[in-house]
Amino acid sequence: MSQAYLDYNASAPSPFELENELTTLIKKNFANPSSLHANGRQARSLINQATCSFAEFVDCEPEFVYWTSGASESNSWALHSAIESAKRNGKKPRLLLSAIEHESNLVAAKWYGQEHGVTVCLVPVDSSGVVSISFLENLFKTDAQWSLLCVMIANNETGVIQPVEAIVALAKKYGIPTHVDCVQALGKMDFSVKKLSATYTTFSAHKIGGLKGAGALVVTGSGQILSPLIHGKQQKSLRAGTENPVGVGFFGILLKKMKSHPFANLMANLMTMRNDFESELKRTIPGTIIHGEKVLRLPNTSCVGFELTDGDSILMNLDLEGISASSGSACTSGSVDPSHVLLAMGCDKNISRASVRFSTGWGSQWRDYEAVLKVLPDIIGRIRKVATK
Amino acid sequence: MNQIGFGKRVLVAMSGGVDSAVTGALLKVQGYDVVGVHMSLWNEAEASIKKSGGSCCSIADANDARRVCDELDIPFYVMNARDEFKAEVIDYFVSEYLHARTPNPCVMCNNKLKFHHLIKKADELKCQYVATGHYAKVITEPSGIVHLYKATDTSKDQSYFLFGLQQEQLKRALMPLGDLMKVNVRKLAQTFNLPVAEKKDSQEICFVDGGSYRSFVEKNASDHYRPQGPIVDTDGNTLGRHSGLYRYTIGQRKGLGLDRPDQQHLVVVGNDLAMNALIVGPEEQLLKKGLIASSCNWIGNYDFSQGIKAKARIRSRHDEADCIITLLNEKSVIVQFEETQRAITTGQAVVFYQDDLCIGGGWIEGLTVPVTTKMKHKAVGGSQRVAL
């Protein structure tokens, strides 16, 4: 039984047949990119090419790109840098994050709050999951002493797109540095890092089909706003550790190919399928709630609550039927607390626990959604029967 | 290969230990469509990542269960039952101690939590059966009644912990280890190449992580007090001070602080919760002939009109004793032993057998002739209350 894969937001398969390229990459780029010899130069060259492809794709200056082990490190690094920068300027570090940020941001901020006395404040979202600009406007009028404002472009759980350009512009007006998590937006919607001009932006390779263990942090302006988390000589002494030529190189190859690929059409198709899927869900399963339905979302994401059920049980059932989906952020323990994103949107604990995310991508077809539609009414019925017994 | 399970889906409760792993392997070989589920029960164990094994709900154990399911090539899921475990087992455990009773959390966990939630999960996942690695036998009689029997390996028998199971639960239960010797289960684990084949058996109470149950009770009893009080004998003489009734068990001799030569023979024989007194006496005062049990469950139909002759276990490791069970009311019984029993303890489970058949059991509420003290009612106000 082949699995129907509807969990692209957790991690995506490669959109292109690149097995041969990958094998070649591994074979040819084994050397340390910091070595002076020809083998080292080859690995370095691969990274440089990838940096250019990446910079071209997201529209930024190549020299402002720093490679990391992934978005979690990038996010932590942005927070750390903002905190250190505030301290250097003799200010008490204060972080402002949207309540729906990825856990890697929220948990890191919480840690700085608990262990280092950093002030952490969350920005609320409305019931559709959109960060409240009016809250920020009002806040900044009385209090603009923030070391960093953290807002993601598109939420990983609901796909809801945030008014980041307006938010970054507003923060700039008050001289507040900004951090924009672009992880889910990459490859799914148009945006330009240059136009956005946030202080920090973060990226991950595996969300578009790259390898795990490769991510990026992009800064605007000079590297002076960065303080290293990992100390050593690489990457201008700002991010030590031997770079990952294969992970980064493969990311670059993917982006280069995607650049010349009509991905706008693809996203339009995904959106049509997604909307049809959601209509069918609502038609066939009573008590279905589409989170963020009324606002702008990524075209590939559905976050759906089913009253009187339990997300874990739905996912287990889907898995047994050969369907891969998830509930919000992937969790290593395999068991999930109610989604902080849905709670922030004002959903009660029960519906937050009873929600499932379906996310598609390049390889998805209607038959994947169809597989879900075929089995889900029975599954929901069964779980509700048990719940009300 | 015997394919008795063909096409039937079974949920196997995977603790991460060797017993449940072999259970999964056996059922898979028998042709069942096996789904592995690990119940995540208690958070505290996660905090001590260093310590692995010995408890049944740590992340390390969940990972062991996952590795077993990988080896068996079966799906594996973690089921969060922490809130339920807290409500049904932890709160009960703490409350019992604070009421000067000695709880049995493992019985309670099986009774109230494990099977109830596993069967619910089985219903959700379209599983006909729930299998566990318990050493006990579940046998359906021609009449349709399902009986519970002791395991073939009597030294590992766990029927004591299962007396509370209902017919509809037993009908869904599979316990394939009931016919096996533990030593053979270990061998099977090696044959099946299970990564936990050498893992040591869990000991003690899974949620009391290495420390003593006393500090666990104190840590989890925010709304209660730990009243110190008098240690008295049955004649009412005050002999010393105790530091909280829950810190002592019936039959305890050490740690009483009664150091005089003429006191050295004294053991805990009871308590008086109203007077907050710990009662001590000579060993022979521990020997009792009868008990009262409540919240009884019977596995099968029995006629109590003439009383029932059975053998009773008054704690999990206890040699069974001949007794007569008389019904007090629908859920309560009087148990009269042929010979006196040492240290019958309230809060423990008493489980009844006829040969290998487990006919049911209940919770010990007290003795037919309670241990009392002639002490005057006065001590509580004068005792020092220490906030936990």
Side-chain angles (χ1 to χ4, degrees):
Chain A
M1 179 170 62
S2 75
Q3 292 272 126
Y5 191 73
L6 290 135
D7 202 15
Y8 274 68
N9 286 11
S11 202
S14 170
F16 311 106
E17 297 289 328
L18 292 171
E19 284 88 342
N20 291 338
E21 282 86 341
L22 186 57
T23 313
T24 312
L25 275 191
I26 294 168
K27 277 188 184 160
K28 289 196 171 168
N29 298 281
F30 60 89
N32 191 322
S34 296
S35 298
L36 128 177
H37 46 63
N39 301 108
R41 283 199 303 278
Q42 170 142 13
R44 170 65 57 204
S45 160
L46 176 65
I47 291 172
N48 287 343
Q49 283 168 39
T51 307
C52 289
S53 303
F54 174 82
E56 196 187 333
F57 194 91
V58 305
D59 188 24
C60 72
E61 298 301 329
E63 64 261 40
F64 296 151
V65 177
Y66 295 85
W67 294 111
T68 65
S69 62
S72 289
E73 183 195 331
S74 300
N75 287 339
S76 269
W77 192 11
L79 262 55
H80 173 75
S81 295
I83 289 168
E84 290 301 310
S85 173
K87 283 192 202 158
R88 270 199 308 274
N89 294 327
K91 291 179 184 164
K92 183 177 166 16
R94 300 172 79 223
L95 302 176
L96 191 55
L97 298 90
S98 90
I100 56 163
E101 285 307 289
H102 190 265
E103 289 223 309
S104 60
N105 268 324
L106 289 174
V107 173
K110 201 174 149 194
W111 181 82
Y112 281 112
Q114 281 170 352
E115 300 292 323
H116 295 273
V118 171
T119 306
V120 178
C121 180
L122 297 184
V123 185
V125 297
D126 65 17
S127 61
S128 291
V130 182
V131 172
S132 166
I133 294 194
S134 58
F135 174 91
L136 289 173
E137 279 169 344
N138 288 330
L139 175 70
F140 293 162
K141 275 178 204 156
T142 55
D143 178 5
Q145 296 302 308
W146 297 97
S147 319
L148 188 70
L149 167 62
C150 227
V151 183
M152 61 201 337
I153 298 192
N155 183 264
N156 50 309
E157 293 187 31
T158 60
V160 169
I161 294 169
Q162 306 300 324
V164 273
E165 286 194 20
I167 290 173
V168 171
L170 177 70
K172 272 199 161 168
K173 212 171 96 184
Y174 289 94
I176 301 165
T178 45
H179 162 33
V180 176
D181 175 342
C182 305
V183 169
Q184 292 296 342
L186 186 67
K188 294 177 193 146
M189 58 184 278
D190 265 328
F191 66 94
S192 150
V193 168
K194 211 171 264 170
K195 231 170 99 191
L196 194 59
S197 76
T199 321
Y200 310 96
T201 45
T202 50
F203 299 86
S204 166
H206 75 97
K207 305 288 185 188
I208 64 158
L211 303 177
K212 277 110 196 136
L217 171 71
V218 181
V219 295
T220 51
S222 75
Q224 282 178 9
I225 46 172
L226 283 177
S227 295
L229 267 181
I230 305 171
H231 298 268
K233 289 271 168 68
Q234 290 88 347
Q235 302 198 62
K236 303 171 202 162
S237 296
L238 289 169
R239 199 287 189 181
T242 304
E243 292 99 324
N244 172 4
V246 174
V248 167
F250 190 64
F251 192 21
I253 290 174
L254 278 182
L255 290 169
K256 198 166 182 183
K257 276 190 168 284
M258 279 172 64
K259 189 81 185 162
S260 55
H261 205 75
F263 89 94
N265 293 347
L266 203 115
M267 288 300 139
N269 280 342
L270 289 185
M271 170 118 65
T272 311
M273 285 201 292
R274 194 267 315 268
N275 293 347
D276 290 349
F277 170 65
E278 290 179 350
S279 306
E280 274 301 289
L281 281 182
K282 285 193 288 187
R283 195 179 65 78
T284 55
I285 303 173
T288 296
I289 299 155
I290 313 286
H291 299 295
E293 188 180 14
K294 301 271 184 279
V295 294
L296 208 56
R297 281 182 292 159
L298 291 175
N300 76 321
T301 308
S302 289
C303 185
V304 196
F306 302 97
E307 286 169 359
L308 293 173
T309 65
D310 163 63
D312 276 2
S313 293
I314 297 173
L315 295 177
M316 292 174 196
N317 268 294
L318 288 173
D319 180 49
L320 291 172
E321 298 286 352
I323 297 161
S324 301
S326 72
S327 57
S329 336
C331 174
T332 48
S333 75
S335 134
V336 186
D337 289 327
S339 148
H340 71 278
V341 175
L342 299 179
L343 291 178
M345 289 162 68
C347 294
D348 70 26
K349 236 182 175 176
N350 290 332
I351 201 71
S352 301
R353 275 220 173 90
S355 295
V356 179
R357 178 186 68 187
F358 301 97
S359 54
T360 56
W362 305 275
S364 302
Q365 296 184 359
W366 177 246
R367 65 161 181 260
D368 299 318
Y369 277 135
E370 220 169 26
V372 178
L373 292 168
K374 199 175 141 204
V375 296
L376 199 52
D378 275 356
I379 292 171
I380 300 294
R382 197 158 58 233
I383 293 172
R384 282 178 180 164
K385 205 171 133 195
V386 175
T388 50
K389 209 162 38 183
Chain B
M1 196 68 70
N2 184 2
Q3 294 284 307
I4 55 169
F6 183 75
K8 294 176 194 157
R9 187 177 280 175
V10 55
L11 182 158
V12 178
M14 288 277 180
S15 68
V18 65
D19 294 329
S20 53
V22 171
T23 301
L26 287 172
L27 293 172
K28 165 117 190 193
V29 170
Q30 287 171 10
Y32 285 93
D33 174 10
V34 180
V35 178
V37 170
H38 177 82
M39 287 181 108
S40 165
L41 298 177
W42 185 242
N43 233 337
E44 203 157 40
E46 290 183 12
S48 58
I49 290 165
K50 280 171 277 174
K51 184 174 166 282
S52 156
S55 63
C56 64
C57 40
S58 67
I59 278 200
D61 287 319
N63 282 339
D64 283 342
R66 186 184 293 276
R67 284 160 62 216
V68 168
C69 291
D70 281 349
E71 181 63 36
L72 297 177
D73 193 21
I74 59 172
F76 171 75
Y77 308 114
V78 176
M79 174 183 167
N80 185 351
R82 287 178 198 153
D83 293 348
E84 293 86 347
F85 189 73
K86 166 87 171 62
E88 302 281 11
V89 181
I90 301 289
D91 290 352
Y92 145 82
F93 180 78
V94 172
S95 157
E96 285 284 273
Y97 269 118
L98 292 175
H99 287 89
R101 293 157 62 97
T102 306
N104 189 321
C106 301
V107 175
M108 194 52 93
C109 183
N110 281 304
N111 256 347
K112 284 269 172 75
L113 187 96
K114 249 180 216 169
F115 282 86
H116 177 71
H117 290 288
L118 289 172
I119 285 176
K120 262 171 82 173
K121 188 55 73 185
D123 285 339
E124 287 177 358
L125 299 180
K126 262 203 308 199
C127 299
Q128 272 173 274
Y129 299 105
V130 167
T132 63
H134 282 114
Y135 286 83
K137 293 181 205 172
V138 177
I139 294 170
T140 306
E141 310 293 349
S143 64
I145 296 222
V146 189
H147 277 141
L148 180 69
Y149 287 87
K150 283 184 206 164
T152 300
D153 190 340
T154 48
S155 71
K156 287 284 165 191
D157 174 49
Q158 292 175 312
S159 57
Y160 175 86
F161 298 97
L162 302 170
F163 80 83
L165 294 189
Q166 306 296 308
Q167 281 296 309
E168 58 270 28
Q169 295 176 317
L170 287 165
K171 276 179 189 147
R172 305 275 299 274
L174 298 178
M175 299 181 188
L177 302 193
D179 298 317
L180 298 173
M181 299 301 286
K182 174 82 185 197
V183 48
N184 291 332
V185 169
R186 287 260 176 216
K187 283 183 195 153
L188 278 170
Q190 280 166 347
T191 312
F192 287 121
N193 197 26
L194 300 176
V196 292
E198 309 293 333
K199 188 173 170 179
K200 70 177 198 299
D201 288 345
S202 61
Q203 299 290 332
E204 305 299 329
I205 304 166
C206 71
F207 53 86
V208 178
D209 190 24
S212 85
Y213 79 87
R214 297 179 183 91
S215 47
F216 183 89
V217 170
E218 284 155 18
K219 213 166 112 192
N220 287 276
S222 52
D223 297 340
H224 292 265
Y225 290 93
R226 182 182 66 182
Q228 298 188 355
I231 298 177
V232 299
D233 62 18
T234 49
D235 294 327
N237 303 310
T238 301
L239 307 177
R241 302 284 294 168
H242 71 78
S243 52
L245 292 178
Y246 65 91
R247 299 175 74 85
Y248 305 86
T249 47
I250 305 294
Q252 179 176 337
R253 184 188 303 273
K254 287 178 182 158
L256 300 178
L258 303 177
D259 299 330
R260 284 191 353 229
D262 63 320
Q263 292 176 336
Q264 306 243 324
H265 67 296
L266 297 175
V267 295
V268 176
V269 297
N271 56 58
D272 187 319
L273 191 60
M275 288 198 263
N276 190 30
L278 187 70
I279 308 173
V280 296
E283 180 78 26
E284 58 264 26
Q285 284 180 0
L286 281 177
L287 302 174
K288 297 290 164 184
K289 278 203 98 165
L291 63 81
I292 295 167
S294 70
S295 304
C296 293
N297 180 54
W298 306 106
I299 304 173
N301 300 319
Y302 302 94
D303 176 12
F304 285 91
S305 57
Q306 308 295 315
I308 285 188
K309 278 185 87 158
K311 285 175 184 289
R313 254 188 226 174
I314 57 168
R315 63 182 73 88
S316 62
R317 294 278 162 250
H318 171 245
D319 292 333
E320 290 156 24
D322 286 310
C323 69
I324 302 214
I325 312 165
T326 319
L327 223 48
L328 210 54
N329 60 42
E330 206 185 325
K331 285 271 174 191
S332 303
V333 293
I334 292 182
V335 182
Q336 275 157 320
F337 294 100
E338 229 162 69
E339 289 170 14
T340 56
Q341 300 300 310
R342 184 183 182 274
I344 296 172
T345 305
T346 56
Q348 290 284 293
V350 54
V351 181
F352 307 109
Y353 296 89
Q354 287 175 340
D355 294 323
D356 287 342
L357 177 69
C358 174
I359 65 172
W363 296 94
I364 300 174
E365 289 299 330
L367 304 166
T368 46
V369 185
V371 175
T372 54
T373 172
K374 290 174 188 142
M375 179 185 153
K376 296 276 186 307
H377 198 297
K378 64 172 170 67
V380 178
S383 75
Q384 181 192 353
R385 279 174 178 262
V386 180
L388 290 179

